[in-house]
Amino acid sequence: MATALRVRRPVVRPVGSEEPDRQQLAWVVDESPARTRASAQAAGLGWVDLVLIFIFMAGIYTNYTIMLSQKLPFPSAPAGVAGLILLWRRRDDITPRALVGFCAIVTLYLVSILLAPDINWLARRTNGLIQLTYSLVIGYALFLTVKRAERRQIARLFLAFALLILVGCLLETYAGLRPISDAVRTALYKKGVYENDLRDLMFYNRVRPKFFASEPASVTFCYTLFSFIWLVTSQWRWKLPFYLVLVGLGLRAMPGPTLLLMLVLLLPYMLFLGSRRNGRIDATRFLVVAMVAALFALVALVLAQTLFAERLESVTSGNDPSFFYRVQGPALAGLDIMGRYPFAGAGLTGEPFIEREITNLYLRSPYYSAGWTVVSPATELLINYFWLHWIYLGFVGGVAMIAVLSGWLRILGVPSVAFCWVTWAILGQASGAYVGPTCWAVLFLAGAAALLHQRGAVAAATGWQHPTGEWRVVS
């Protein structure tokens, strides 16, 4: 059976021989001026695009927000500016089908806020829809840019991001960078600055580095994300052992349970990408890597009980508000709200609408301490974008939205939608703000990284060297 690789920039079609022992390839290239220009652009990213990706990631890392009005924020402003510029640069890559899919997604979100209970909250939900649309737009621009890159470009770029955070944290802890970092943080962030150094001393025996971020959780989250994207896109033979080294170095430089997600993330990578041969999942290999991936998940559990024993004890005894509001509480709230409002949930940014119900639910939980101060505003009650998806949309609306988004990702050429969603769900345990850019940057980065991984795997299997434009494998 012949395998054809369809490439839009430039149009290339290899034709395979029917002989089983050798493969002869003939290339037919459209040399029209438009295609020639697109071919030059598809040879990899230039320095402008790489700088814009760096600014985008800096916006995700700092989460620096500008208030356009009293109720309308401009979240992750550097990422927003860079994303809009990337969108303009990639405007010719937007296909009609992709545009229709995007409009369908936004329309479905619009329907969800119209169906949500209590129309008095429509203005707030509309505000949330505006922020969500903005986040989807710049995330899509990031996807269009990353997928045009050479695989090694993205691997090197994201490894550089991870190493920059690692070195910065070491400098802050051991080389006197903390006063400068704290001064910059005080100037950048009007609120939400982490000030629980005493808590760090109790759990980690030292103050955790922030390295210009608002809180240590942002540092560990981005280090985890950047290292994982490097793992997926790298073609280095020894990348998995080095990834484990990055885990160890991270635990040394910036201790925190979020870093254990780096081991959990090996599950989707090994199951949905590592088990593929010639672009398709191999059943035998899938079973083997499933056992290996399960082993890494078990190692993560053991490390959690060993390295963070005091933190784990606080979690189980109801003395860790941070973990409760990020993991335990949102899970309780998600299940409760899906039962109360199964069809449309609480609506986008609907935390104030369900604030009383969530507070009462928390007070009844054995993992919640009555001595804690009830947090305000209501958005601080739920810091987990995975569970916010179900809280905002309900079970029926949440499933429908995932189905539509999955269809759109397939239109965009993402080879494994399951990989994207599992990665998104795992990292959602360490990040909130469903309508913010970080939530959707994770999904789009996972999709683009999977596409680059697939592209490299097909090239290695066939011996082809092909352009980096839009493509897919057909049998």
Side-chain angles (χ1 to χ4, degrees):
M1 180 182 295
T3 300
L5 188 66
R6 297 177 57 191
V7 184
R8 291 195 176 183
R9 292 179 175 80
V11 174
V12 181
R13 182 168 298 162
V15 181
S17 171
E18 296 297 330
E19 298 181 16
D21 295 330
R22 65 176 182 173
Q23 189 175 38
Q24 297 177 344
L25 302 176
W27 296 90
V28 181
V29 181
D30 180 358
E31 296 292 351
S32 65
R35 295 298 185 188
T36 302
R37 182 173 62 254
S39 176
Q41 293 173 347
L45 297 180
W47 69 269
V48 174
D49 288 321
L50 295 176
V51 169
L52 289 172
I53 293 176
F54 177 85
I55 296 173
F56 195 110
M57 294 302 111
I60 297 299
Y61 177 79
T62 61
N63 197 28
Y64 178 67
T65 299
I66 299 173
M67 295 303 296
L68 300 179
S69 68
Q70 187 177 1
K71 296 183 178 181
L72 184 62
F74 183 24
S76 301
V81 173
L84 293 175
I85 296 174
L86 288 174
L87 182 68
W88 176 256
R89 291 174 62 83
R90 301 282 90 80
R91 63 191 184 276
D92 293 335
D93 293 353
I94 302 174
T95 64
R97 292 182 67 203
L99 183 60
V100 170
F102 180 85
C103 292
I105 291 167
V106 175
T107 301
L108 188 55
Y109 275 115
L110 175 61
V111 171
S112 76
I113 67 172
L114 295 176
L115 294 178
D118 197 344
I119 198 67
N120 293 323
W121 294 97
L122 182 60
R124 176 180 175 83
R125 290 163 179 156
T126 302
N127 189 325
L129 179 61
I130 293 172
Q131 294 180 57
L132 176 62
T133 304
Y134 149 77
S135 300
L136 287 171
V137 166
I138 64 174
Y140 179 39
L142 178 67
F143 172 86
L144 291 174
T145 302
V146 171
K147 79 167 191 173
R148 289 171 63 97
E150 296 178 3
R151 186 172 171 179
R152 62 183 179 182
Q153 282 185 305
I154 299 302
R156 291 172 180 174
L157 184 63
F158 279 85
L159 179 60
F161 290 156
L163 294 178
L164 176 62
I165 294 175
L166 179 66
V167 172
C169 289
L170 292 173
L171 291 176
E172 184 171 319
T173 302
Y174 302 106
L177 186 62
R178 177 169 288 117
I180 299 175
S181 174
D182 289 344
V184 173
R185 292 168 60 239
T186 301
L188 283 179
Y189 310 109
K190 303 301 180 184
K191 61 179 181 178
V193 179
Y194 185 84
E195 297 177 343
N196 290 330
D197 289 347
L198 290 177
R199 174 176 171 272
D200 286 353
L201 290 171
M202 181 177 68
F203 287 144
Y204 310 108
N205 298 317
R206 60 182 164 128
V207 176
R208 289 187 295 170
K210 292 86 175 175
F211 191 51
F212 305 115
S214 60
E215 59 176 344
S218 297
V219 179
T220 53
F221 175 84
C222 287
Y223 180 79
T224 299
L225 173 63
F226 298 159
S227 299
F228 182 64
I229 296 301
W230 167 78
L231 174 71
V232 176
T233 55
S234 174
Q235 294 177 292
W236 187 27
R237 181 180 181 182
W238 302 104
K239 66 178 182 178
L240 184 56
F242 186 73
Y243 181 76
L244 298 178
V245 170
L246 290 176
V247 175
L249 292 174
L251 289 170
R252 175 61 182 171
M254 56 195 100
T258 298
L259 294 176
L260 297 180
L261 295 180
M262 294 178 70
L263 297 177
V264 181
L265 285 168
L266 290 173
L267 282 167
Y269 169 68
M270 299 184 76
L271 288 177
F272 302 116
L273 297 183
S275 61
R276 288 175 174 261
R277 290 186 184 275
N278 301 327
R280 298 180 181 276
I281 290 181
D282 181 273
T284 303
R285 192 173 185 181
F286 181 88
L287 293 175
V288 173
V289 300
M291 291 186 288
V292 176
L295 177 62
F296 280 115
L298 182 62
V299 170
L301 181 61
V302 172
L303 288 176
Q305 295 175 336
T306 304
L307 299 178
F308 307 108
E310 293 184 5
R311 179 91 188 259
L312 188 61
E313 173 63 25
S314 295
V315 169
T316 55
S317 60
N319 292 319
D320 191 343
S322 175
F323 190 85
F324 182 86
Y325 288 126
R326 290 180 182 276
V327 181
Q328 295 167 299
L332 293 172
L335 296 174
D336 182 76
I337 296 303
M338 281 193 288
R340 292 174 183 267
Y341 310 105
F343 292 99
L348 290 177
T349 61
E351 291 93 338
F353 168 65
I354 56 174
E355 181 176 8
R356 179 176 298 179
E357 298 171 6
I358 297 303
T359 301
N360 291 334
L361 179 68
Y362 285 3
L363 290 173
R364 295 193 300 268
S365 171
Y367 301 108
Y368 188 89
S369 173
W372 296 344
T373 302
V374 178
V375 298
S376 181
T379 52
E380 298 299 319
L381 290 169
L382 302 162
I383 310 175
N384 185 310
Y385 67 65
F386 170 77
W387 285 109
L388 281 173
H389 174 85
W390 305 103
I391 291 169
Y392 287 166
L393 301 174
F395 178 77
V396 175
V399 170
M401 186 58 68
I402 287 179
V404 174
L405 282 164
S406 298
W408 190 46
L409 290 174
R410 296 297 297 172
I411 290 174
L412 298 181
V414 174
S416 176
V417 174
F419 167 78
C420 298
W421 284 120
V422 176
T423 299
W424 180 82
I426 291 172
L427 288 172
Q429 308 311 306
S431 180
Y434 180 80
V435 299
T438 300
C439 167
W440 301 102
V442 169
L443 186 67
F444 283 115
L445 276 176
L451 198 154
L452 291 178
H453 182 278
Q454 175 91 333
R455 184 184 300 162
V458 172
T462 59
W464 299 341
Q465 293 292 330
H466 54 274
T468 318
E470 185 173 340
W471 67 282
R472 65 182 176 211
V473 179
V474 295
S475 298

